Structure formats: C-alpha cells, structure tokens
Amino acid sequence: MTDSTVTGVTSAVSDKPRNPQTTRAVVIGCGHYLPERVVPNEAFTKTLDTSNEWIVARSGIERRHFAAEGETTSKLATRAAEAALANAGIAPESLDAIIVATSTPDLTFPSVATMVQAEIGALKAFAFDVQAVCAGFVYALANANALVVSGQAKRVMVIGAETFSRIMDWTDRSTCVLFGDGAGALILDAQAGFGTSDDRGILATDLNADGRQRDLLYVDGGVSTTGTAGYLRMQGNQVFRHAVEKLAQTAEDALAKAGLGAGDVDWIVPHQANIRIIQGTAKKLGLPMDQVIVTVQDHGNTSAASIPLALSVAATEGKLKPGDLIVTEAIGGGLAWGAVVLRW
Ligand code: UT7
C-alpha cells in the first residue's frame, strides 16, 4: 500500500447516484502483534476439570497467546502500530489521530493511545481510548470514520489491543480457557469518493447497546467500586444466545445503510469469540464459511483486538484484495454490539 492522498479512487463505473464531494476513510495499511508465549488447551487440564476436546468442541479455540510479565497492552499496541506504519509506508508524524480500543489499559489513566503516540513519535496526533469491550474495535472504527468524514482528521490509526490474561480468574474453567492477548492496527486515510457503494473505504456503520444486560458479562472490580482490577465474569450461554440473534441483524442493518445486501459481501471478518457463533452468523447471512476469516483457533477471544488481528492476518495471507467488500461485526460486555461495512 502507498502513501496516497485524495486521488486514485478505484471505483467501477456505476449508475448509482454520485456525490463527488464524498470523503471516505480508506484503509491504507494494517499490522498486528501477538505475544511470543503460545498456550495450548492442554495447559489448562493440569489445574482445571476441563479437556482439549471440550474447549475445541464448544468454542473452536486450540491455543492462545499470553503476554509476558511486564508486556503491557500499550506495548502490544505499539508493536501493532509500528507494523501498520511500515505496511502503509507512512511516517508517524503524518497521523492526525490515534484511537485505541481496549478494556485492559496499562493504567486507569492516561490512555493507552497517548502511550502509543509517544512511543511511535506521532506527536501531531491527538489520542484517546474507546471502551466497548469486544465491540470496541467496531466502535473505534465508527468514531474514526466520523472524524474523517467530518474533516476533523485526515489520517487516523485505529488499534485494538488487549491483555485479557490479566483479568482471568484461573479457577473459573468457564472463562479462563476462552481468552487471549494481542493487538491489531489499521490506518485510515481521507480519500475522495463518489458517494456510491463502489467507493473504497468505510461505507456504513451500525452501533448498538443494551445496558440492561450488563450482568451477563462484566468485570467484578474497578476504580470507583473495589479499587482493584477485578476478574471477568460471564454467563456464556446467555451471551451466546444474544450473539447469534444480534450479530447477523447488525451486519444486515449496516449493509442496508450502505445500499448493499449479504450477496455483495466478499468477506465477513467477525469478532473471534466462538466458532459456533461465527458459523451461526454466516449461516443467517446466507454466506459460506470460505467467505469468513477465522482466527479463533489460534488467538482465542482477544476482545477488541480480535477483528484487527483477523484483518491483518488475512491481509498478510493475501486473502483481502483491493475492492473486496468486508463486513466486520462484534458483540461484548454492555451489552454493546455493532458492524462496519468497508471496501478494502
Ligand atoms: O467476546 C464477548 C462475547 N462472548 C462470547 O461471545 C462468548 C459466548 N459464549 C460462548 O462462547 C459459550 O457459551 C461458551 C464457550 C462460553 C460455553 O459453551 P456452552 O455450549 O454455552 O456451554 P455452557 O456454558 O452451557 O456449559 C455446558 C457445560 C456446563 O456443565 P453442566 O452444567 O452442563 O454440567 C459447564 O459447567 O459445560 C461446563 N463447562 C466446562 N466443561 C469443561 C464450562 N466450561 C467448561 C470447561 N471444560 N472449560
């Protein structure tokens, strides 16, 4: 990918209404980082009443990465940011904004985004975190898109980075086998579009929340309650039920906003929580699994990092081609959920 600016739109000829003023947030680079330590399912059978067979059958997870001691979320985020800058071939000083989606920041404040800003030397960028748990990256992408289309920023780095291993209760088999650590980053650039669904870049977003469901997935500590970081608590089968119902709906709603349907989609890049949720959503959308990017077997559930990790892995493997239509969708604690439709 190149350091392109407001030209070079690869739009096919279309009879749809055109608005030549349209600014699109186009992906010009991506990158990811996974901690070195890989933990297979078998590692849990030493201390818990669980098995590789149960974990694979119920979740699709085979292994996950855990951060080393001292390897904080900002360090993972910085490595992913550096990889994305190299992939895009741009200088950090050209970034106008950095948004980090995370629920596991290094400190209560300052934000992880400001730490990344200093580490990579993006000193012209404003920086802030978004916290929407597993839907965090979708929320962050939607916010980045709003900054770009409103003219408040021309070039935005959007990162999902998590160290969920820090909030695991290692005695709770129903949660600690599911999560992993990692980071992924995308760089969005303001480019001119025609206002049609043939444009490259973000075409539509759909965000939702239902705070009445907060007891289904939460962390039992925090600054203004216990004064501790706390541990993740989840009623997995209840979250599962909401996920299957809500993810296909938000994907369809986002596609409809873009004037598109499931038949136009080249790739679903879903939040990687559970292979059965991923399969169920693809089925509801009427799309085969060979159009779905799946990394859950290798990464586990990395919360806000899972979508940018999956996008970057798929790009590295050469699966995503310029012009491909991608739908990302995610749900997590809150509940918060949503989808983004973008043309790569
Ligand atoms: O990313 C944020 C959103 N999160 C999600 O999307 C996660 C959604 N939920 C899920 O992925 C699934 O619900 C789980 C993978 C968490 C669980 O799968 P499930 O098929 O819904 O199982 P379950 O919770 O209904 O539990 C079935 C049984 C229970 O035993 P009983 O009550 O039937 O005797 C659990 O105690 O499996 C038991 N169990 C385990 N057994 C072996 C729970 N965890 C384990 C384990 N090993 N690790």
Side-chain angles (χ1 to χ4, degrees), residues 130-142:
V130 163
Q131 203 269 58
V133 205
C134 298
F137 193 76
V138 165
Y139 268 63
L141 265 188

Side-chain angles (χ1 to χ4, degrees), residues 102-140:
T102 188
S103 301
T104 47
D106 299 30
L107 302 170
T108 301
F109 72 77
S111 65
V112 172
T114 56
M115 296 177 185
V116 173
Q117 186 248 27
E119 284 297 318
I120 64 174
L123 297 179
K124 292 181 183 154
F126 62 89
F128 62 98
D129 289 357
V130 163
Q131 203 269 58
V133 205
C134 298
F137 193 76
V138 165
Y139 268 63

Side-chain angles (χ1 to χ4, degrees), residues 213-283:
Q213 309 293 342
R214 68 178 194 183
D215 290 345
L216 299 185
L217 177 50
Y218 65 101
V219 169
D220 65 2
V223 178
S224 70
T225 50
T226 61
T228 63
Y231 295 108
L232 182 144
R233 305 295 175 202
M234 178 166 71
Q235 296 177 43
N237 47 15
Q238 294 299 314
V239 178
F240 191 103
R241 193 172 57 78
H242 281 280
V244 170
E245 177 196 314
K246 293 182 164 62
L247 288 174
Q249 186 64 55
T250 186
E252 278 172 356
D253 290 348
L255 282 164
K257 288 181 191 177
L260 296 166
D264 298 305
V265 173
D266 293 299
W267 296 103
I268 309 176
V269 185
H271 171 47
Q272 310 282 324
N274 187 314
I275 190 66
R276 292 184 294 139
I277 295 174
I278 293 170
Q279 289 164 340
T281 306
K283 195 173 172 195

